[in-house]
């Protein structure tokens, strides 16, 4: 409960102040009413300001105050539970509208998962993330995995998977970044973050030169960890279990928290977790 100069703003008072403001009451009339019920004027003013400030901060942003939405990848679901993507059947296990999240089953075969891990293994190094200020990369304590990037189309297996993803998400293959492989050991995690590049950072314009904003993420699970390692969306209480061959896709129309795409990789509690991530840009990624 909030307290202003030793007077408590009860939930009832908070509701009443907000109701008065929404009904168009003049602030001085609200203060007068509070004074009548025993509030000192300066304390009442502070309480009203604090209540309305907090109320405004908690409100969803008005669409008109946000940058215009970007076009995002979206699979042609057509009401079915199985999609054909470049000749490969993919199951639709779960969908959510806001945030836009789709969980796919059987996107990769066991052989493809094993093949990706084998190709990546010798090139794994402590994961780096994009440095928001310079546009370069840096080791980040929020991400305690090992990782590597494939070049787009670098290997026959990579080409097959990239063509499948492009067909599944109806998004040009050339707009995809190179596939990233991450290996989490027990205790490793990826703390909640957004995958888009926040315009507030000075390095963002530089990053956007290579194909514009990220507009979607596909995280593919290459193994099933013995414990932990879910991909979490803490703002909406969603946890996607990492299951070999399955994948979670989410898109974001703007580089903005209103997309509710805050997500993380929960700590692995037993065994290892391997994922392959494909990030999708607005334009051709160069
Ligand atoms: O490994 C994951 O579950 C995970 C979680 C959050 C991966 C990513 N983000 C990512 O690659 O961006
Ligand atoms: Zn992420």
């Amino acid at each position: 409960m909030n307290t202003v100069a030793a007077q408590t703003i009860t939930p009832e008072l908070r509701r009443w102040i907000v109701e008065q403001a929404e009904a168009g009451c003049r602030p001085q009339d609200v203060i007068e009413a509070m004074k009548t019920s025993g509030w000192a004027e300066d304390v009442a003013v502070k309480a009203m300001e604090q209540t309305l400030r907090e109320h405004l901060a908690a409100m969803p942003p008005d669409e008109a105050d946000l940058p215009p939405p970007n076009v995002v990848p979206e699979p042609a679901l057509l009401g079915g539970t199985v999609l054909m993507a470049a000749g490969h059947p993919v199951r639709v296990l779960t969908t959510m509208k806001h945030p836009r999240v789709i969980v796919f089953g059987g996107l990769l075969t066991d052989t493809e998962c094993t093949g990706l891990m084998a190709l990546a293994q010798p090139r794994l190094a402590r994961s780096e993330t994009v440095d928001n200020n310079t546009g370069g990369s840096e080791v980040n304590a929020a991400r305690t995995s090992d990782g590597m990037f494939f070049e787009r189309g670098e290997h026959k297996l990579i080409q097959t998977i990239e063509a499948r993803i492009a067909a599944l998400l109806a998004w040009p293959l050339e707009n995809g970044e190179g596939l990233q492989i991450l290996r989490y050991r027990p205790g490793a995690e990826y703390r909640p973050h957004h995958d888009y590049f926040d315009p507030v950072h000075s390095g963002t314009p530089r990053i956007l030169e290579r194909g514009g904003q990220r507009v979607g993420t596909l995280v593919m699970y290459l193994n099933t960890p013995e414990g932990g390692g879910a991909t979490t969306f803490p703002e909406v209480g969603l946890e996607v279990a990492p299951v070999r061959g399955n994948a979670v896709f989410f898109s974001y129309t703007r580089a903005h928290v209103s997309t509710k795409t805050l997500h993380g990789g929960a700590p692995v509690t037993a065994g290892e977790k391997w994922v392959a991530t494909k990030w999708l840009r607005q334009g051709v990624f160069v």
Side-chain angles (χ1 to χ4, degrees), residues 48-90:
M48 188 184 69
E49 285 174 354
Q50 180 180 324
T51 299
L52 293 177
R53 207 171 31 246
E54 288 170 359
H55 176 69
L56 282 175
M59 284 207 330
D62 193 333
E63 185 86 5
D65 297 334
L66 296 172
N70 296 321
V71 178
V72 296
E74 175 65 22
L77 295 183
L78 306 172
T81 54
V82 177
L83 297 177
M84 289 307 286
H88 181 91
V90 180

Side-chain angles (χ1 to χ4, degrees), residues 190 193-195 217 250 263 279:
Y190 198 169
H193 59 275
H194 294 97
D195 281 354
T217 304
F250 52 98
H263 66 287
W279 285 295

Side-chain angles (χ1 to χ4, degrees), residues 42-243:
D42 57 337
V43 182
V45 168
K46 281 205 186 96
M48 188 184 69
E49 285 174 354
Q50 180 180 324
T51 299
L52 293 177
R53 207 171 31 246
E54 288 170 359
H55 176 69
L56 282 175
M59 284 207 330
D62 193 333
E63 185 86 5
D65 297 334
L66 296 172
N70 296 321
V71 178
V72 296
E74 175 65 22
L77 295 183
L78 306 172
T81 54
V82 177
L83 297 177
M84 289 307 286
H88 181 91
V90 180
R91 292 190 304 283
V92 178
L93 301 181
T94 304
T95 67
M96 187 179 237
K97 283 204 170 79
H98 193 69
R100 185 55 169 152
V101 179
I102 305 176
V103 182
F104 294 113
L107 175 57
L108 301 178
T109 66
D110 285 356
T111 313
E112 288 166 344
C113 291
T114 313
L116 278 180
M117 291 192 287
L119 286 173
Q121 170 106 49
R123 289 160 60 182
L124 289 175
R126 176 72 200 273
S127 286
E128 297 190 337
T129 42
V130 173
D131 184 319
N132 289 320
N133 296 316
T134 63
S137 56
E138 57 172 8
V139 168
N140 186 336
R143 192 197 220 185
T144 44
S145 51
D146 299 314
M148 57 81 65
F149 277 93
F150 286 109
E151 289 289 319
R152 213 170 45 217
E154 145 172 2
H155 189 279
K156 180 77 195 50
L157 174 60
I158 308 285
Q159 288 169 15
T160 303
I161 293 170
E162 288 177 335
R164 187 179 303 157
I165 294 169
L168 178 70
L169 302 178
W171 202 249
L173 188 150
E174 295 74 25
N175 294 16
E177 296 182 28
L179 212 52
Q180 178 205 230
I181 306 292
L182 290 180
R183 177 188 61 190
Y184 302 77
R185 293 219 155 103
E189 66 179 313
Y190 198 169
R191 297 215 193 108
H193 59 275
H194 294 97
D195 281 354
Y196 54 72
F197 302 110
D198 195 326
V200 301
H201 298 304
S202 57
T204 294
R206 186 81 191 278
I207 297 168
L208 299 186
E209 284 169 16
R210 304 181 68 189
Q213 260 298 352
R214 284 180 177 162
V215 285
T217 304
L218 181 74
V219 178
M220 296 165 277
Y221 305 106
L222 305 182
N223 77 325
T224 306
E226 283 162 48
T231 304
T232 63
F233 293 80
E235 292 168 314
V236 292
L238 176 64
E239 296 200 355
V240 179
V243 174

Side-chain angles (χ1 to χ4, degrees), residues 227-283:
T231 304
T232 63
F233 293 80
E235 292 168 314
V236 292
L238 176 64
E239 296 200 355
V240 179
V243 174
R244 175 179 243 196
N246 290 1
V248 58
F249 165 72
F250 52 98
S251 61
Y252 22 98
T253 51
R254 309 176 159 89
H256 195 271
V257 292
S258 62
T259 57
K260 293 193 188 294
T261 55
L262 184 73
H263 66 287
V268 171
T269 54
E272 292 184 347
K273 172 190 172 191
W274 288 70
V275 298
T277 301
K278 173 64 84 177
W279 285 295
L280 303 153
R281 298 286 189 112
Q282 289 176 290

